[in-house]
Structures are given as structure tokens and as C-alpha cells.
């Protein structure tokens, strides 16, 4: 009989600062590597880190109130993926991101405004939920492949 695998889950709160966003990114990549056995510098682990960094940065820049934290939740989903689901919850439900199909092109002459485009490029699915009147959760799912023998960075890349 094959043992039933439960979904791996991790949820932590971070300060609504650039430092908090940076720590969330590092933790997500490390946790993903630990759960999957993929190298920390594999393409898929780096996609998880980039998506986490963008969602956390958006929570800090657009979704936090002074003195409020954001929550990072990571879920390893065995089916239908396998995939890792990255959820970032902040305290500004009225500041909703555009739907994936409605992403505007950023102005060519500005370095900002590309975060959700990067999420769109590296995640297989993403969106947001408003679970209550006080919070918003922006989420993304990044599929991965188990480490293949002979491949130094097996696990696939972005650009799905």
C-alpha cells in the first residue's frame, strides 16, 4: 500500500518592509528546494524565488498599512501538478491587482511596473482572492518536475 502524501504547508508573517520581502523570497526558494530535492539554483527554484519576490514587494509597496505585516504561505500541491502555490496576504483589499488578462504594458521609459508581468511569465496560474473585508491574497502557482538523473538543474524553466 502506497502511503498517502499530505500537502506540505508553511505560513509565516513578515514585516511590511523591503527586508521582509527579501526574507520571504529567500525562505520560499529554500523551502521549495527542501520539499522537492531540486537544487536551490535550479530554474524552477529561481522561478519560485522571483514570483515570491514580486508578490512580496507588491504587498510592501501597495498593500501594507503602516505597522502591518504581510503573510507568506507556501503550499506544495501534489495534484494536478505537482506545483508550489505561493500566497501573499496583505491588509489592503481595496487595492486589487489587475486580472492576468488585463495586465497593462508598462511605459518603456520607466524601470517600474513590470512585477506582475514577471509573475505572469514565470507562474503557470496566478490571481487574487478577497477572503474578508480586511485582507487580500495574491497567489501564483509554479509547476515543477522531479529531479531527473543526469541533469544538473532538472526542473524546467519559466516562460510557460
Amino acid at each position: 500500500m502506497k502511503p498517502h502524501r499530505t500537502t506540505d504547508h508553511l505560513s509565516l508573517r513578515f514585516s511590511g518592509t523591503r527586508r521582509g520581502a527579501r526574507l520571504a523570497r529567500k525562505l520560499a526558494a529554500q523551502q521549495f528546494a527542501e520539499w522537492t530535492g531540486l537544487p536551490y539554483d535550479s530554474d524552477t527554484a529561481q522561478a519560485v524565488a522571483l514570483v515570491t519576490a514580486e508578490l512580496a514587494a507588491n504587498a510592501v509597496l501597495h498593500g501594507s498599512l503602516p505597522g502591518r505585516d504581510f503573510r507568506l504561505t507556501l503550499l506544495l500541491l501534489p495534484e494536478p501538478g505537482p506545483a508550489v502555490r505561493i500566497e501573499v496576504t496583505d491588509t489592503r483589499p481595496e487595492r486589487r491587482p489587475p486580472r492576468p488578462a488585463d495586465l497593462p504594458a508598462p511605459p518603456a521609459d520607466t524601470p517600474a511596473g513590470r512585477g506582475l508581468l514577471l509573475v505572469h511569465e514565470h507562474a503557470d496560474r496566478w490571481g487574487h482572492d478577497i477572503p474578508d473585508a480586511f485582507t487580500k491574497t495574491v497567489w501564483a502557482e509554479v509547476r515543477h518536475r522531479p529531479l531527473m538523473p543526469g541533469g544538473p538543474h532538472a526542473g524546467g524553466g519559466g516562460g510557460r
Side-chain angles (χ1 to χ4, degrees):
M1 173 181 246
K2 189 174 179 180
H4 176 67
R5 180 186 166 109
T6 59
T7 301
D8 291 304
H9 176 267
L10 177 71
S11 187
L12 293 169
R13 296 181 76 89
F14 292 89
S15 65
T17 62
R18 291 186 334 191
R19 182 174 186 263
R22 185 175 61 248
L23 291 172
R25 173 183 53 83
K26 290 182 177 200
L27 174 81
Q30 182 62 42
Q31 188 63 55
F32 176 80
E34 192 171 307
W35 279 341
T36 63
L38 291 170
Y40 182 82
D41 62 347
S42 70
D43 291 344
T44 309
Q46 292 304 302
V48 168
L50 183 136
V51 168
T52 302
E54 294 302 333
L55 296 183
N58 283 349
V60 169
L61 292 173
H62 309 295
S64 70
L65 294 168
R68 297 290 178 112
D69 298 340
F70 70 90
R71 182 176 65 234
L72 171 68
T73 301
L74 302 172
L75 300 152
L76 185 61
L77 307 172
E79 298 297 331
V84 63
R85 182 175 172 110
I86 303 151
E87 298 179 350
V88 175
T89 302
D90 63 48
T91 56
R92 298 294 297 269
E94 74 279 5
R95 290 196 167 179
R96 298 175 186 182
R99 295 279 175 198
D102 299 330
L103 280 175
D109 60 345
T110 180
R114 290 171 173 76
L116 289 177
L117 291 171
L118 290 170
V119 170
H120 188 71
E121 180 66 23
H122 291 279
D124 294 284
R125 296 182 339 130
W126 70 275
H128 71 275
D129 299 315
I130 309 293
D132 55 48
F134 306 104
T135 61
K136 166 185 79 244
T137 299
V138 182
W139 56 268
E141 293 178 1
V142 177
R143 266 187 275 153
H144 70 91
R145 293 158 192 79
L147 188 60
M148 307 278 264
H153 296 276
R160 298 178 222 330

